[in-house]
């Protein structure tokens, strides 16, 4: 699943629209839609998306032995 798909699922499960998410992020809906189309989110932006819906964003690498980096 792409990051954009994950953000859309997050909105559905949080019962908000993409436009509402944009409002919570202080973005124009067109700006957020562009980011979704381009898959152009920074880690900081994804953390803000999570915060906007009361979720937690985790990012890490998982080695073959299960160790997280």
């Amino acid at each position: 699943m792409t990051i954009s798909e994950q953000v859309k699922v997050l909105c559905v499960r949080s019962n908000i629209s993409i436009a509402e998410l944009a409002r919570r992020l202080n973005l124009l809906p067109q700006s957020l839609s562009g980011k979704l189309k381009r898959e152009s989110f920074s880690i900081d932006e994804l953390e803000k998306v999570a915060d906007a819906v009361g979720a937690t964003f985790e990012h890490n690498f998982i080695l073959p032995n299960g160790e997280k980096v």
Side-chain angles (χ1 to χ4, degrees):
M1 185 180 306
T2 67
I3 291 294
S4 292
E5 290 169 336
Q6 288 176 312
V7 169
K8 290 174 184 176
V9 168
L10 181 66
C11 286
V12 168
R13 292 192 181 164
S14 299
N15 202 29
I16 65 168
S17 65
I18 296 294
E20 174 59 18
L21 178 60
R23 186 191 68 75
R24 291 182 185 187
L25 296 171
N26 294 317
L27 294 173
L28 292 172
Q30 300 90 323
S31 297
L32 182 56
S33 291
K35 286 188 162 298
L36 290 166
K37 287 178 186 172
R38 292 186 306 273
E39 294 277 324
S40 61
F41 290 93
S42 68
I43 297 298
D44 184 57
E45 289 170 325
L46 293 171
E47 289 170 343
K48 288 177 182 175
V49 166
D51 188 51
V53 298
T56 301
F57 176 73
E58 294 182 354
H59 55 94
N60 49 47
F61 296 100
I62 302 173
L63 297 172
N65 67 0
E67 181 184 0
K68 291 183 181 181
V69 176

